[in-house]
């Protein structure tokens, strides 16, 4: 016990000595500070009263006052003297502090720069240690770099294998679909041949020489009937040859290169004939958007394959390789894409149906129309713009009458330039408007006056839209980055969404009163469920510039237009882009330089 007490007493005395040494060092360091600038003294000068200051600090002080900064005794420049000993101690202290805070390499370099007395043997041992250390660091660096490139190559191999699997899956889709289309085309050709044969048998000209397909060019195009037993007579090909020729023709149709000029394609009829020209035009449209159509095809096929895989897994009846395939369920993806391709190639141009002239002789530069919308019955439509007027026109009158200027049925003056209109589809007299001052107004067309006005938006409001399900609800978007939902029976907005970006367009889903699409300057379309405003259901990304317009084609399909000069079609049920830059045939209006609105079909 006595020995342990002695050890503890010795340990405590050592700790006390260490703490006292630290305090003394701290006090000594504090003594080296200049009382004026509170930094380590440089060029210390001693006063008559025994205080030390930096030379520059005390000289600056004595220019303003004639006393000591510490004790306030009388002091002038003549009473100062340099403290060389303290300056030397300060320099040594600074060097030791620098050496203390320096890294091992800097300490060694400083020691060598100060011509430290090191014998050759110690220098050799230091060089040996440094060389070993350098070799060790080089090995560690090489090991790290090797592991990095090893990991990179593994990741690259994994991604390439995944890409190869995807390509193999896509090739299998193509192989199966080509086989399916070949069967369909074979059935169509057989049906056409049987129909042509039946027509020829019923025709009074069936006895004439009409089999030109198997004729000889040496006879100037004249071809004899299929008959035998005569010199030079033509023997009809057998059924096997006919089937083989038919398969070759189908194969040529299926594998025609997309890079070959369609006019040189031997399977294409003469461009002078209507059918051939129609087919050439369709193929050209396909080639013009081949990349987008390719993406739409693989997207549809992969979606169907994924759904089929989930269905098989749920039924625990996954078919093995080479097993019988149910072609009825298999063709779903192909038929879906074929409907897209058929819709896309159906129309090739727009036709002018009518022109709406709305020239204002008193304001020739104020005829810009920024919005147009139809009522629920498509009998009337309203236009608005910088003229500060809402004009109501009869659609049938505009279509039927060819006049220089069409007169509106009704005009409603407004106090500001309008940016958007929305006609209530369920309450026909009501039209909503948004203007350049951020005001959202609802107008009664029959009485030509406003029903309600909202002034909550802080900047220009670009878009407004009535719900097609609930006639009392509407939504608006503004440059203040806020989307506001309104009930026309209330005096204020029901709630708002802060989007952090300028809002260019808003639209209600025509099949729901709870879902809206928002196009903004962040290049995205945000699809919200109004029952949960924390996060959007989907964010559709693909445009490279601001989304200026959105329009629902149906409750599942949404079209967006952007200032990047592209259109995109989205599926709001699956968060996917169906296709882009394609023509969607609908009734539309476009404005030209002659201040006329042209109706196109």
């Amino acid at each position: 016990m006595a020995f342990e007490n002695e050890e503890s007493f010795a340990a405590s005395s050592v700790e006390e000595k260490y703490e006292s040494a630290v305090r003394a060092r701290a006090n000594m360091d504090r003594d080296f500070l200049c009382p004026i600038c509170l930094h380590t003294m440089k060029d210390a000068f001693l006063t008559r009263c025994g205080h030390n200051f930096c030379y520059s600090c005390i000289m600056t002080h004595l220019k303003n006052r004639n006393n000591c900064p510490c004790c306030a005794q009388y002091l002038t420049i003549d009473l100062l003297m340099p403290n060389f000993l303290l300056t030397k101690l300060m320099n040594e202290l600074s060097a030791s502090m620098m050496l203390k805070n320096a890294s091992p390499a800097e300490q060694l370099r400083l020691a060598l720069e100060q011509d430290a007395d090191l014998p050759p043997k110690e220098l050799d041992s230091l060089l040996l240690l440094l060389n070993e250390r350098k070799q060790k660091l080089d090995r560690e660096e090489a090991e790290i770099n090797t592991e990095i490139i090893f990991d990179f190559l593994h990741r690259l191999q994994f991604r390439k294998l995944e890409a190869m699997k995807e390509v193999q899956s896509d090739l299998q889709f193509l192989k199966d679909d080509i086989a399916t289309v070949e069967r369909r085309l074979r059935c169509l050709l057989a049906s056409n041949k049987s129909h042509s044969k039946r027509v020829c048998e019923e025709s009074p000209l069936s006895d004439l020489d009409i089999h030109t397909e198997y004729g000889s060019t040496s006879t100037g195009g004249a071809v004899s009937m299929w008959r035998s037993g005569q010199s030079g007579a033509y023997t009809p090909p057998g059924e096997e040859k006919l089937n083989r020729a038919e398969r070759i023709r189908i194969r040529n149709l299926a594998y025609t290169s997309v890079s070959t000029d369609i006019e040189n394609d031997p399977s294409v009829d003469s461009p002078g004939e209507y059918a051939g020209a129609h087919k050439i035009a369709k193929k050209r449209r396909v080639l013009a958007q081949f990349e987008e159509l390719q993406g739409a095809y693989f997207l549809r096929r992969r979606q169907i394959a994924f759904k089929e895989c989930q269905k098989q897994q749920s039924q625990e009846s996954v078919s093995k390789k080479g097993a019988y395939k149910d072609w009825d369920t298999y063709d779903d993806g192909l038929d879906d894409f074929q409907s897209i391709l058929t819709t896309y190639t159906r129309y090739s141009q727009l036709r002018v149906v009518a022109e709406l002239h709305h020239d204002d002789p008193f304001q020739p530069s104020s005829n810009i129309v920024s919005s147009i919308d139809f009522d629920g019955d498509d009998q009337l439509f309203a236009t608005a713009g910088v003229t500060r007027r809402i004009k109501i026109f009869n659609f049938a009158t505009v279509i039927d009458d060819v006049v220089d200027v069409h007169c509106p049925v009704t005009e409603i003056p407004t106090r500001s330039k309008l940016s958007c209109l929305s006609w209530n589809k369920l309450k026909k007299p009501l039209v909503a408007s948004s203007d350049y001052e951020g005001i959202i107004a609802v107008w009664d067309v029959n009485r030509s006056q406003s029903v309600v006005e909202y002034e909550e938006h802080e900047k220009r409001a670009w878009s407004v839209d009535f719900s097609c399900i609930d006639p009392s609800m509407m939504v608006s978007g503004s440059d203040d980055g806020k989307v506001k939902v309104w009930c026309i029976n209330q005096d204020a907005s029901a709630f708002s969404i802060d989007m952090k970006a300028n809002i260019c367009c808003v639209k209600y889903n025509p099949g729901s009163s709870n879902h809206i699409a928002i196009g903004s300057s962040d290049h995205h379309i945000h699809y919200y469920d109004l029952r949960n405003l924390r996060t959007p259901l989907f964010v559709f990304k693909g445009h490279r510039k601001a989304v200026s317009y959105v329009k629902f084609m149906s409750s599942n399909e949404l079209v967006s237009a952007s200032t990047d000069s592209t259109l995109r079609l989205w599926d709001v049920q699956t968060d996917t882009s169906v296709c882009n830059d394609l023509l969607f045939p609908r009734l539309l209006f476009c404005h030209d330089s002659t201040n006329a609105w042209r109706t196109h079909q």
Side-chain angles (χ1 to χ4, degrees):
M1 288 293 295
F3 181 74
E4 292 179 357
N5 292 334
E6 290 178 359
E7 284 187 349
S8 61
F9 177 75
S12 61
S13 63
V14 170
E15 291 179 357
E16 291 177 358
K17 289 181 180 179
Y18 177 76
E19 292 178 358
S20 62
V22 170
R23 287 194 296 270
R25 180 61 182 269
N27 294 330
M28 182 179 65
D29 293 343
R30 194 178 301 112
D31 292 336
F32 290 151
L33 298 180
C34 173
I36 297 178
C37 65
L38 300 178
H39 291 96
T40 304
M41 282 184 282
K42 296 180 181 180
D43 298 330
F45 268 67
L46 180 64
T47 65
R48 186 176 61 176
C49 53
H51 298 104
N52 291 285
F53 301 95
C54 295
Y55 175 75
S56 59
C57 295
I58 191 61
M59 294 299 292
T60 303
H61 175 76
L62 292 178
K63 288 180 180 179
N64 300 320
R65 295 183 181 181
N66 294 327
N67 60 356
C68 175
C70 292
C71 60
Q73 292 187 12
Y74 177 75
L75 183 65
T76 61
I77 297 176
D78 299 335
L79 300 178
L80 295 176
M81 61 184 66
N83 193 339
F84 297 107
L85 178 59
L86 183 58
T87 301
K88 183 179 179 181
L89 291 175
M90 294 301 304
N91 293 335
E92 292 177 356
L93 178 63
S94 300
S96 63
M97 292 297 294
M98 184 182 300
L99 187 62
K100 179 181 177 181
N101 297 329
S103 63
E106 291 178 348
Q107 291 179 6
L108 179 59
R109 186 177 66 253
L110 289 173
L112 295 174
E113 289 177 352
Q114 295 176 1
D115 295 332
D117 188 11
L118 296 175
K121 290 184 178 181
E122 293 186 5
L123 288 176
D124 291 339
S125 62
L126 287 175
L127 290 175
L128 181 61
L129 290 174
L130 289 174
N131 189 29
E132 291 178 355
R133 181 62 178 170
K134 182 178 183 302
Q135 291 178 358
K136 182 180 178 181
L137 293 176
D138 289 342
R139 288 194 300 269
E140 292 178 354
E141 185 69 19
E143 182 180 354
I144 292 174
N145 293 334
T146 306
E147 290 180 357
I148 290 175
I149 191 172
F150 183 74
D151 181 70
F152 169 77
L153 293 176
H154 263 288
R155 291 179 182 273
L156 182 60
Q157 182 187 31
F158 175 77
R159 294 188 180 185
K160 290 299 180 183
L161 288 175
E162 291 295 324
M164 184 177 67
K165 291 180 182 178
E166 185 175 347
V167 171
Q168 290 175 347
S169 176
D170 293 342
L171 289 175
Q172 188 62 39
F173 290 152
L174 291 171
K175 181 179 178 181
D176 294 342
D177 289 346
I178 288 173
T180 303
V181 175
E182 281 183 352
R183 288 198 310 274
R184 293 179 180 179
L185 189 57
R186 191 179 297 114
C187 294
L188 289 174
L189 292 175
S191 176
N192 291 337
K193 284 186 178 180
S194 62
H195 177 72
S196 300
K197 183 177 179 181
R198 185 168 61 253
V199 171
C200 291
E201 290 176 353
E202 295 175 357
S203 173
L205 302 178
S206 60
D207 296 335
L208 297 179
D209 230 358
I210 60 174
H211 299 282
T212 59
E213 181 178 359
Y214 305 98
S216 173
T217 57
S218 62
T219 60
V223 182
S224 62
M225 293 288 290
W226 291 346
R227 57 187 182 273
S228 61
Q230 298 181 11
S231 176
Y234 179 79
T235 303
E239 182 178 356
E240 181 180 354
K241 292 184 178 181
L242 285 174
N243 291 336
R244 181 183 177 187
E246 180 180 333
R247 287 196 300 271
I248 292 175
R249 182 186 176 191
I250 294 174
R251 187 73 63 180
N252 291 335
L253 284 172
Y255 288 99
T256 301
S257 172
V258 297
S259 61
T260 305
D261 189 2
I262 298 176
E263 293 180 353
N264 298 327
D265 189 349
S267 64
V268 178
D269 298 336
S270 173
E273 300 178 1
Y274 172 77
H278 185 58
K279 181 164 60 175
I280 289 175
K282 284 195 171 187
K283 286 191 175 183
R284 282 176 175 167
R285 286 180 58 75
V286 170
L287 290 183
Q289 299 289 339
F290 189 81
E291 294 297 330
E292 289 77 11
L293 291 170
Q294 171 183 284
Y297 166 76
F298 285 121
L299 178 63
R300 290 291 182 179
R301 293 298 287 111
R302 291 166 188 164
Q303 288 177 349
I304 296 298
F306 180 72
K307 291 179 180 178
E308 288 296 322
C309 182
Q310 285 185 330
K311 182 179 179 182
Q312 290 176 357
Q313 289 178 356
S314 62
Q315 297 176 353
E316 296 182 354
S317 60
V318 179
S319 59
K320 296 182 179 180
K321 186 177 180 180
Y324 174 75
K325 182 177 287 186
D326 189 355
W327 293 102
D328 293 335
T329 59
Y330 168 77
D331 291 341
D332 289 344
L334 180 61
D335 292 339
D336 192 9
F337 174 73
Q338 187 174 6
S339 65
I340 295 175
L341 191 63
T342 302
T343 303
Y344 170 58
T345 58
R346 182 178 301 165
Y347 301 96
S348 60
Q349 61 183 356
L350 297 174
R351 180 174 60 88
V352 177
V353 177
E355 291 185 358
L356 172 62
H357 298 274
H358 55 89
D359 290 341
D360 189 346
F362 301 103
Q363 295 179 339
S365 61
S366 302
N367 292 316
I368 299 176
V369 175
S370 56
S371 182
I372 183 171
D373 196 24
F374 282 82
D375 66 351
D377 301 327
D378 291 336
Q379 296 178 353
L380 303 175
F381 66 91
T383 65
V386 300
T387 57
R388 295 182 173 86
R389 288 179 178 274
I390 300 175
K391 297 182 180 182
I392 310 298
F393 294 90
N394 187 294
F395 181 69
T397 303
V398 173
I399 294 295
D400 297 336
D401 296 347
V402 181
V403 295
D404 293 335
V405 178
H406 290 91
C407 296
V409 177
T410 305
E411 283 192 39
I412 305 175
T414 62
R415 63 182 182 183
S416 179
K417 300 177 182 178
L418 300 181
S419 57
C420 185
L421 291 177
S422 178
W423 206 311
N424 196 314
K425 307 303 180 184
L426 301 178
K427 292 184 178 180
K428 190 171 182 177
L430 299 183
V431 176
S433 68
S434 61
D435 64 23
Y436 284 30
E437 296 180 1
I439 300 174
I440 306 299
V442 178
W443 307 86
D444 188 330
V445 175
N446 295 337
R447 294 185 297 171
S448 299
Q449 64 182 17
S450 64
V451 177
V452 62
E453 291 186 357
Y454 302 102
E455 300 183 9
E456 293 187 16
H457 283 298
E458 299 173 1
K459 295 182 180 180
R460 178 185 304 182
W462 281 113
S463 183
V464 65
D465 187 48
F466 267 115
S467 170
C468 296
I469 304 299
D470 188 347
S472 64
M473 301 300 295
M474 63 179 181
V475 62
S476 64
S478 168
D479 271 341
D480 59 7
K482 292 182 175 59
V483 175
K484 292 186 178 291
V485 179
W486 314 87
C487 178
I488 59 177
N489 300 324
Q490 299 178 1
D491 296 333
S493 60
F495 43 83
S496 64
I497 307 172
D498 191 355
M499 296 295 297
K500 310 297 183 183
N502 293 18
I503 307 303
C504 304
C505 50
V506 290
K507 277 290 180 181
Y508 262 105
N509 188 318
S512 171
S513 60
N514 298 316
H515 296 87
I516 61 172
I518 304 168
S520 65
S521 60
D522 63 358
H523 311 173
H524 305 330
I525 301 103
H526 303 261
Y527 189 60
Y528 270 91
D529 186 341
L530 297 179
R531 293 167 295 187
N532 182 16
L533 300 178
R534 293 184 178 180
T535 57
L537 289 177
F538 303 121
V539 178
F540 300 107
K541 301 179 181 180
H543 286 296
R544 298 183 301 274
K545 293 185 180 180
V547 179
S548 55
Y549 188 76
V550 290
K551 173 74 174 180
F552 280 93
M553 308 295 286
S554 65
S555 59
N556 296 333
E557 291 181 326
L558 175 69
V559 177
S560 63
S562 169
T563 53
D564 62 5
S565 303
T566 61
L567 293 174
R568 288 182 179 269
L569 179 64
W570 312 89
D571 188 341
V572 298
Q573 299 295 326
T574 59
D575 186 21
T576 54
S577 174
V578 179
C579 52
N580 54 320
D581 293 340
L582 303 183
L583 175 64
F584 307 103
R586 293 289 189 274
L587 186 68
L588 58 99
F589 283 75
C590 66
H591 186 250
D592 60 16
S593 59
T594 61
N595 292 323
W597 282 86
R598 293 188 175 183
T599 310
H600 294 269
Q601 179 70 47

